[in-house]
Amino acid sequence: MINVAVLGYGTIGSGVVEVLNTNGDSINKRAGDQINIKYVLDLREFPGDPVMDKLVHDVNIILEDPEVGIVVEVMGGVEPAYSFVKQALLKGKSVVTSNKELVAKHGAELIDLAKERNLNFLFEASVGGGIPIIRPLNQSLTADEIVEITGILNGTTNYILSKMSDEGIDFNTALKDAQEKGYAERNPAADVEGHDACRKIAILSSLAFGMQVDFEDIYTEGITHISDIDIKYAKALEARVKLFASSIRENDRCVYAMVAPVMIRANHPLYSVNDVFNGIFVRGNVIGDVMFYGSGAGKLPTASAVVADVVDAAKHIGKNIWTIWSSKKLELTDVNEVENRFFVRLEQKDDSVKEQVAALFGNVEEVQCADVQGEYAFITRSITEQQMKEKKEKLNGVLNVIRVRF
Amino acid sequence: MINVAVLGYGTIGSGVVEVLNTNGDSINKRAGDQINIKYVLDLREFPGDPVMDKLVHDVNIILEDPEVGIVVEVMGGVEPAYSFVKQALLKGKSVVTSNKELVAKHGAELIDLAKERNLNFLFEASVGGGIPIIRPLNQSLTADEIVEITGILNGTTNYILSKMSDEGIDFNTALKDAQEKGYAERNPAADVEGHDACRKIAILSSLAFGMQVDFEDIYTEGITHISDIDIKYAKALEARVKLFASSIRENDRCVYAMVAPVMIRANHPLYSVNDVFNGIFVRGNVIGDVMFYGSGAGKLPTASAVVADVVDAAKHIGKNIWTIWSSKKLELTDVNEVENRFFVRLEQKDDSVKEQVAALFGNVEEVQCADVQGEYAFITRSITEQQMKEKKEKLNGVLNVIRVRF
């Protein structure tokens, strides 16, 4: 029997208990031993709940119990999760977590700590909810040099953008709908400003390139500036607007990373990833393009990934599963040097706007949208972020700028 | 240093050598040891080729060399591959293979043989080319009961169907194009009759349900009966025709498996899997829907999956990676009991055809296609395969029947 302690009895914690109850037999068969939840840590009481008699309020009961082999951390946030996880590893317990803040901030250190002690620190559920992506990156794509990882990694923003596109509504109406459905928090900043996607692409990049990618270094732009007018233009272009979190290696070791809305067309593998779903596109130098798709959040999909990690930890008692993520920092390329095409919308009072654009950008692709009046819209050729920034300052009446990937 | 012998220096064998040469440094880092190709077995000579001095014509040189730790079998076909692989395992060598015929036929036995000897028998490349699917099924989706696996598992037929749809050409013209591009064999039966997809879904089903699914038991229908007229109707229905290989569990342990063309619409995750790409859709009882997408064939993508298995075998010298695939046979449900909706095309000489259809099927969904005259087409409600078979015998002038998944 392998005793597990679950830290946090919120949505995911209760999902973990539910998954183990639902599929216990086959899970135990796959783990090669019986997985038993011995403790659930939460400050709250849950009278009448089946876990009531396993509930503890003091983490030390768990840390000091030598019978606990695996600690599942599903509290979220950096502290006290970091202290609890670190102590658990120091006490000889493997740790499974769904906590992207913790992994993005302290992943390299906790992986090393686990390695030194023949334990495991596993975090499949921290990116892409139930989608298997951490383990495939770590164990399946080992013959490749990763050239690009691009993900739709945040279900809330993908839902909002899909809703805006499907129903022609504006950002605030779509956000309200997402909040009513429970897809967005009352304070939605972490999602709509791109911070959540930023931490996730930092984790994936660190794994793909084997070095520490600090999330603070990643240029991050959210979707709050995307309007229903932008979506109309996207439709006229047979494109969709998606919040992409990308990490791209150009010429050997020069990597840049960015979270920003982009326009893509149907030929991009992530075009069909809509609503709350996530998708992760990986390009390797020999495998070519692969894509992983599924529920990026939600109680049971995320709990499924957590429990799969518990099974793996149970199968590897005393054996570390090697993860390449050194604490050596990867210096990202200055994002100003990155090239993109840009979709630009300007106020059009008269025809002088065209002359202004031609003088600044040379030949551009004009974009017509039957529904929109009083604007001049175009797509630039491929220019650097720095060039775009400088040109934007010289332009009058800029309404919006969105990167274009076609 | 870990010595590897490659059996077969064809497309994939030479791809394996190329991948190890291209990404040797990072592969060795991930394997934790240097991977060295000591032998290449082939009956042919390759004068001037870099592997020339590693070439042997007698498999016994490899089998009798205790320095060889991993044997890579990329010859294809059941024999002599089966004998060579079995002997290699008996001689204490782990085996990596890309050979779907071998795995579908003898997988359970070879897995057991490896398990008993603390070796590994790995076969990621046997299904979906480079797409990670075997390892995710085996190691990531362990918290779930798999409810459905449906794949577009054959790139050749997917290319032909995509080409027919994009260009409005008939099956034979599209097949000829595929042959000219090297996507189809001169004798295309294994692909276009569905045999290749059948073996692959047998492998995935065996892994998903943990028991032996015999490919001979799987109802298999190819795409040779799909005409350009069918594709026109599909377009009128905003649908695409895809060759699906499916394995579905209904009410607990009753599983049916089928390879057949189906019509799907844009809301199906596999709708956007076009050209030579493969996609595999998995539904679990807690994870929900996940999908894996990528190059299903091709020299380097397949070699990437083979080499990833070599890395895994190298990391697990003396330790078996547990695979649940018992030799106990899974009795599939009689396919006649399976329910589907069917698209049916009939010759229409006069209006009596409608009466005949109404009498046999009750209410149906009529399908209009502006380009097609002299036919009556409709979609049935959900009925069993047996019912469809019986009704079809009573119908006059049946032109085609295609299953519908919407």
Side-chain angles (χ1 to χ4, degrees):
Chain A
M1 190 161 78
I2 293 167
N3 286 300
V4 174
V6 178
L7 314 188
Y9 196 58
T11 307
I12 301 171
S14 60
V16 168
V17 174
E18 187 177 333
V19 169
L20 282 167
N21 286 338
T22 309
N23 293 338
D25 287 350
S26 68
I27 289 167
N28 292 338
K29 196 174 157 198
R30 288 199 164 91
D33 204 341
Q34 198 199 327
I35 308 283
N36 174 55
I37 297 181
K38 185 165 182 184
Y39 301 110
V40 173
L41 177 80
D42 206 292
L43 292 178
R44 297 165 292 180
E45 297 289 347
F46 297 92
D49 192 289
V51 301
M52 196 173 54
D53 55 342
K54 301 177 175 190
L55 205 66
V56 293
H57 303 303
D58 178 2
V59 73
N60 290 309
I61 296 171
I62 293 164
L63 295 171
E64 299 303 332
D65 185 341
E67 284 190 349
V68 174
I70 300 169
V71 168
V72 172
E73 185 278 304
V74 285
M75 303 186 295
V78 174
E79 280 296 353
Y82 170 63
S83 305
F84 291 179
V85 165
K86 192 168 174 177
Q87 287 178 69
L89 289 167
L90 291 171
K91 294 278 184 190
K93 303 170 196 315
S94 282
V95 174
V96 169
T97 182
S98 61
N99 185 335
K100 60 189 171 290
E101 289 95 348
L102 173 68
V103 179
K105 186 85 187 164
H106 297 291
E109 182 200 352
L110 297 169
I111 285 167
D112 278 350
L113 217 55
K115 201 174 286 178
E116 288 162 11
R117 284 160 180 74
N118 286 322
L119 300 168
N120 284 291
F121 175 67
L122 303 175
F123 46 91
E124 181 63 73
S126 67
V127 181
I131 306 171
I133 180 62
I134 303 292
R135 197 171 282 103
L137 265 182
N138 203 23
Q139 290 176 38
S140 290
L141 303 178
T142 51
D144 276 73
E145 299 277 351
I146 304 298
V147 177
E148 174 178 352
I149 302 190
T150 291
I152 295 175
L153 297 176
N154 180 271
T156 307
T157 46
N158 205 38
Y159 178 82
I160 291 171
L161 291 169
S162 299
K163 198 87 184 165
M164 288 172 75
S165 181
D166 291 348
E167 301 181 11
I169 56 179
D170 65 16
F171 173 79
N172 285 318
T173 313
L175 171 61
K176 210 168 150 244
D177 177 83
Q179 285 169 323
E180 279 163 9
K181 290 206 168 66
Y183 297 152
E185 309 277 335
R186 240 165 63 91
N187 178 353
D191 291 320
V192 300
E193 301 292 357
H195 304 317
D196 173 84
C198 170
R199 276 154 184 83
K200 291 170 176 169
I201 192 68
I203 295 170
L204 295 181
S205 307
S206 299
L207 282 173
F209 305 119
M211 293 168 76
Q212 173 67 23
V213 174
D214 287 335
F215 68 86
E216 297 92 339
D217 295 349
I218 298 174
Y219 174 84
T220 300
E221 184 181 305
I223 63 162
T224 52
H225 67 92
I226 303 296
S227 73
D228 47 335
I229 313 281
D230 295 317
I231 302 288
K232 279 183 183 168
Y233 275 107
K235 282 190 176 170
L237 284 161
E238 296 184 321
R240 284 181 187 154
V241 180
K242 295 288 179 191
L243 183 64
F244 267 18
S246 279
S247 197
I248 297 178
R249 169 151 66 184
E250 281 175 340
N251 51 54
D252 208 16
R253 288 237 65 99
C254 144
V255 174
Y256 72 87
M258 186 185 270
V259 176
V262 297
M263 285 193 186
I264 54 169
R265 282 190 171 147
N267 59 357
H268 196 290
L270 296 178
Y271 180 81
S272 307
V273 178
N274 294 315
D275 300 319
V276 290
F277 285 95
N278 283 18
I280 300 139
F281 165 86
V282 183
R283 176 169 287 166
N285 72 335
V286 291
I287 205 171
D289 297 349
V290 290
M291 201 264 282
F292 304 81
Y293 166 94
S295 293
K299 178 177 172 170
L300 291 181
T302 308
S304 160
V306 170
V307 174
D309 273 353
V310 171
V311 169
D312 222 10
K315 288 193 327 203
H316 290 85
I317 297 281
K319 286 176 280 185
N320 176 257
I321 303 163
W322 206 34
T323 304
I324 296 196
W325 177 347
S326 91
S327 54
K328 196 175 157 200
K329 185 180 163 85
L330 180 65
E331 292 295 343
L332 298 175
T333 303
D334 181 359
V335 84
N336 284 317
E337 293 167 24
V338 174
E339 288 204 357
N340 260 309
R341 297 180 74 206
F342 296 87
F343 165 79
V344 184
R345 278 170 53 215
L346 301 176
E347 289 173 13
Q348 181 172 34
K349 294 187 185 94
D350 52 51
D351 270 4
S352 70
V353 67
K354 288 193 191 185
E355 290 161 30
Q356 189 196 15
V357 167
L360 273 169
F361 292 90
N363 278 337
V364 295
E365 189 184 323
E366 291 189 9
V367 183
Q368 311 292 339
C369 181
D371 287 357
V372 184
Q373 265 84 47
E375 293 193 6
Y376 179 70
F378 62 95
I379 300 177
T380 70
R381 63 187 162 77
S382 193
I383 56 175
T384 65
E385 293 277 334
Q386 180 62 34
Q387 286 169 326
M388 184 64 223
K389 215 181 282 179
E390 287 165 9
K391 289 174 200 292
K392 191 178 163 186
E393 277 168 20
K394 293 180 189 152
L395 276 173
N396 296 322
V398 177
L399 296 166
N400 209 357
V401 177
I402 303 174
R403 289 164 192 85
V404 170
R405 286 248 191 127
F406 52 78
Chain B
M1 191 161 78
I2 293 167
N3 286 298
V4 174
V6 178
L7 313 187
Y9 197 57
T11 306
I12 301 170
S14 59
V16 168
V17 173
E18 189 177 332
V19 169
L20 283 168
N21 286 337
T22 309
N23 294 339
D25 287 349
S26 68
I27 289 167
N28 292 339
K29 197 173 156 198
R30 288 198 164 92
D33 204 342
Q34 197 199 327
I35 309 281
N36 174 55
I37 296 181
K38 185 166 183 184
Y39 301 110
V40 173
L41 177 80
D42 206 293
L43 293 178
R44 297 164 292 180
E45 298 287 349
F46 297 91
D49 192 287
V51 301
M52 196 172 56
D53 54 343
K54 301 177 174 191
L55 204 68
V56 294
H57 303 304
D58 178 2
V59 74
N60 290 308
I61 295 171
I62 293 165
L63 295 172
E64 298 303 333
D65 186 342
E67 286 190 347
V68 172
I70 300 169
V71 168
V72 172
E73 186 279 303
V74 285
M75 303 185 296
V78 175
E79 280 295 353
Y82 171 61
S83 305
F84 291 179
V85 165
K86 192 168 174 176
Q87 287 178 70
L89 290 167
L90 291 170
K91 294 278 184 189
K93 303 169 195 316
S94 283
V95 173
V96 169
T97 182
S98 61
N99 184 336
K100 60 189 172 288
E101 290 95 346
L102 173 68
V103 179
K105 186 87 187 160
H106 298 290
E109 182 200 351
L110 297 169
I111 286 168
D112 278 350
L113 217 53
K115 202 174 287 178
E116 288 162 11
R117 284 162 181 73
N118 286 321
L119 300 167
N120 284 292
F121 175 68
L122 303 175
F123 45 91
E124 180 63 74
S126 67
V127 181
I131 306 171
I133 180 62
I134 303 292
R135 198 172 282 102
L137 265 183
N138 203 26
Q139 290 175 39
S140 290
L141 304 178
T142 51
D144 275 75
E145 300 276 350
I146 304 298
V147 177
E148 174 178 351
I149 301 190
T150 291
I152 295 176
L153 299 175
N154 180 270
T156 307
T157 46
N158 205 39
Y159 178 82
I160 291 171
L161 291 169
S162 299
K163 198 86 183 166
M164 288 171 73
S165 181
D166 292 347
E167 302 182 9
I169 56 179
D170 65 16
F171 173 79
N172 286 317
T173 312
L175 171 61
K176 209 168 151 242
D177 176 84
Q179 286 170 321
E180 279 165 7
K181 290 206 168 65
Y183 297 152
E185 309 277 335
R186 241 167 60 93
N187 178 353
D191 292 318
V192 299
E193 301 292 357
H195 304 316
D196 173 83
C198 170
R199 276 156 184 81
K200 290 170 176 169
I201 193 68
I203 294 170
L204 295 182
S205 308
S206 300
L207 283 174
F209 305 118
M211 293 169 75
Q212 174 67 23
V213 174
D214 288 334
F215 68 86
E216 298 92 338
D217 295 348
I218 298 174
Y219 173 84
T220 301
E221 186 181 304
I223 64 161
T224 53
H225 67 93
I226 303 297
S227 73
D228 46 336
I229 312 281
D230 296 316
I231 302 287
K232 279 182 184 170
Y233 276 106
K235 282 189 177 171
L237 284 160
E238 296 184 321
R240 284 182 187 154
V241 180
K242 295 287 179 192
L243 183 65
F244 266 19
S246 278
S247 198
I248 297 177
R249 171 151 65 183
E250 282 174 340
N251 50 55
D252 210 16
R253 287 237 66 99
C254 143
V255 174
Y256 73 86
M258 185 185 271
V259 175
V262 296
M263 285 192 187
I264 54 170
R265 281 190 172 148
N267 58 358
H268 196 290
L270 295 177
Y271 180 82
S272 306
V273 179
N274 294 314
D275 299 319
V276 290
F277 285 95
N278 282 18
I280 300 139
F281 165 87
V282 182
R283 177 169 288 167
N285 73 335
V286 289
I287 204 172
D289 298 348
V290 289
M291 202 264 282
F292 305 80
Y293 165 95
S295 294
K299 178 177 172 170
L300 291 182
T302 308
S304 160
V306 170
V307 173
D309 273 353
V310 170
V311 169
D312 223 8
K315 287 194 324 203
H316 290 86
I317 297 283
K319 287 176 278 184
N320 177 258
I321 303 164
W322 207 35
T323 304
I324 295 196
W325 177 346
S326 93
S327 53
K328 196 173 158 203
K329 185 179 162 88
L330 180 64
E331 292 295 344
L332 297 175
T333 303
D334 181 359
V335 85
N336 284 317
E337 294 167 23
V338 175
E339 288 204 357
N340 260 309
R341 297 180 75 205
F342 296 87
F343 165 79
V344 184
R345 280 171 51 215
L346 301 176
E347 290 173 13
Q348 180 172 35
K349 294 189 186 90
D350 52 51
D351 270 2
S352 70
V353 67
K354 288 193 191 184
E355 291 160 29
Q356 189 196 12
V357 167
L360 272 169
F361 292 91
N363 277 338
V364 296
E365 187 184 325
E366 290 190 11
V367 183
Q368 312 292 338
C369 181
D371 288 356
V372 183
Q373 265 84 49
E375 293 193 4
Y376 178 71
F378 63 96
I379 299 176
T380 70
R381 63 188 162 78
S382 193
I383 56 175
T384 66
E385 293 276 336
Q386 182 62 34
Q387 286 170 324
M388 184 64 224
K389 217 182 279 178
E390 287 164 10
K391 289 174 199 293
K392 190 178 164 187
E393 277 168 21
K394 292 180 189 151
L395 277 173
N396 295 322
V398 176
L399 295 166
N400 210 356
V401 177
I402 304 174
R403 289 165 191 85
V404 171
R405 286 248 191 127
F406 52 78

